[in-house]
């Protein structure tokens, strides 16, 4: 009976997860007070103190991808320190997503944020990478490769069947 | 058997209620997770800056302590 209960809880908790392959050599990291929606974070090794990072988050949604991107754009554009650039459709293993680039002003130099969204079965999967502007060309390739590897949980189960 | 069924029923009711509450809560905050993700990614990357500053201050203090011209002698 206990086993049944544990299995039920585990299946409910795990059902919402996706999976992606982080860039090679990046380490798992966590903030002291992480946002609950963020499932995992990784940091890489840059040439400066500003280390590139990537995190994976999920959000329950009741709209298609296009509407979700619009909603995110409205929130992000409200910040005058952020410049938003829409990079359009982005193919991922789990489906066709959307990629955007943000530039954030900072006293120590500009920061580039790449963010990819995928909406599958009323769940938005969000991958976000942060890198110093001068290092973007160095890390962009592996970050985008990592974004493209995003797979959704029910698709992983389908592969194992 | 009855106990097992009751527990499963309670669990399904609780998870349904929780899912509905989550949906209602998130409906008013659509897209906000992406904002949090951007913020957390930046904060995590910046942690290296904080460590760098702390190390820099420690080195500076060590250098100042070892500087012979800063020592005073009394007669």
């Amino acid at each position: 009976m206990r086993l049944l209960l544990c299995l039920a809880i585990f299946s409910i908790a795990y059902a919402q997860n996706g999976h992606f392959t982080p860039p090679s050599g990046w380490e798992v990291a966590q903030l002291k007070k992480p946002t609950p929606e963020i499932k995992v974070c990784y940091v890489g090794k840059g040439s400066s103190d500003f280390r590139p990072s990537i995190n994976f988050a999920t959000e329950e949604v009741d709209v298609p991808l296009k509407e979700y991107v619009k909603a995110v754009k409205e929130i992000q554009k409200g910040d005058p320190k952020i410049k938003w650039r829409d990079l359009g459709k982005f193919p991922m293993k789990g489906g066709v997503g959307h990629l955007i680039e943000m530039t954030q002003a900072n006293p120590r130099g500009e920061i580039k944020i790449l963010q990819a969204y995928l909406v599958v079965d009323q769940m938005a999967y969000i991958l976000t990478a942060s890198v110093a502007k001068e290092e973007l060309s160095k890390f962009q390739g592996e970050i985008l490769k990592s974004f493209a590897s995003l797979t959704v949980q029910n698709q992983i189960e389908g592969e194992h069947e | 058997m009855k106990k097992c069924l009751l527990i499963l029923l309670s669990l399904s009711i609780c998870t349904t209620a929780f899912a509905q509450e989550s949906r209602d809560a998130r409906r008013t905050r659509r897209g906000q997770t992406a904002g949090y993700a951007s913020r957390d990614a930046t904060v995590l990357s910046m942690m290296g800056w904080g460590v760098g500053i702390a190390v820099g201050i420690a080195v500076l203090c060590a250098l100042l302590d070892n500087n012979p011209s800063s020592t005073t002698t009394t007669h």
Side-chain angles (χ1 to χ4, degrees), chain A residues 101-122:
Chain A
E101 180 193 276
M102 290 178 275
T103 307
Q104 190 175 348
N106 190 281
R108 290 196 63 172
E110 283 188 329
I111 298 163
K112 287 284 185 185
I113 299 168
L114 291 167
Q115 199 164 61
Y117 319 101
L118 179 67
V119 174
V120 175
D121 293 338
Q122 296 191 314

Side-chain angles (χ1 to χ4, degrees), chain A residues 70-133:
Chain A
K70 219 190 242 179
V72 174
K73 198 176 176 178
E74 274 175 33
I75 293 173
Q76 302 280 24
K77 273 194 162 179
D79 188 343
K81 283 188 248 173
I82 293 179
K83 282 182 211 167
W84 169 285
R85 199 169 128 215
D86 193 333
L87 301 178
K89 286 183 186 176
F90 182 74
M92 299 187 216
K93 221 172 165 186
V96 178
H98 204 96
L99 183 67
I100 62 103
E101 180 193 276
M102 290 178 275
T103 307
Q104 190 175 348
N106 190 281
R108 290 196 63 172
E110 283 188 329
I111 298 163
K112 287 284 185 185
I113 299 168
L114 291 167
Q115 199 164 61
Y117 319 101
L118 179 67
V119 174
V120 175
D121 293 338
Q122 296 191 314
M123 183 68 73
Y125 300 87
I126 305 141
L127 280 165
T128 308
S130 168
V131 62
K133 188 185 174 185

Side-chain angles (χ1 to χ4, degrees), chain A residues 35 38 55 57 115 126 128, chain B residues 32-42:
Chain A
T35 306
I38 293 173
N55 67 54
Q115 199 164 61
I126 305 141
T128 308
Chain B
Q32 209 159 8
T33 301
Y36 294 146
S38 303
R39 181 198 64 190
D40 280 15
T42 311

